[in-house]
Amino acid sequence: MNAKSFVVTFFSLVATTGVLYFIGHWFTIPSLMFHHEFTTSQNGFMMTTGSLLPLIVGLVVSFFAEKLYVRRTRQKLG
């Protein structure tokens, strides 16, 4: 993976995840919202997080964006 391929992959991950979390908070869609809660007590601690669905979608989109970028650069070279 070269530097340009990494930039395309990373930017597509950040952009997709960010847009989905923004839409989730803007329209109050619980499956697209991130929230976390951390509580401690004498018995220990409990940590809960919100939806990781936008992150998973972002990973899938970045995977396909990298594959598409690599294919198009190989077509230009060959």
Side-chain angles (χ1 to χ4, degrees):
M1 177 185 292
N2 60 17
K4 288 183 182 179
S5 177
F6 174 75
V7 169
V8 168
T9 304
F10 184 72
F11 180 73
S12 63
L13 171 68
V14 170
T16 304
T17 304
V19 167
L20 288 175
Y21 277 132
F22 177 75
I23 290 171
H25 282 282
W26 186 264
F27 294 110
T28 316
I29 303 171
S31 62
L32 296 178
M33 292 175 67
F34 182 79
H35 61 279
H36 67 283
E37 182 180 339
F38 183 80
T39 55
T40 64
S41 66
Q42 292 179 346
N43 296 332
F45 67 92
M46 186 172 94
M47 186 171 76
T48 59
T49 60
S51 177
L52 297 176
L53 180 65
L55 181 62
I56 294 169
V57 171
L59 286 171
V60 171
V61 168
S62 68
F63 173 77
F64 287 115
E66 181 195 6
K67 294 297 180 191
L68 184 65
Y69 177 77
V70 168
R71 182 183 308 145
R72 288 195 180 186
T73 33
R74 284 187 182 160
Q75 285 177 353
K76 285 182 182 180
L77 295 175

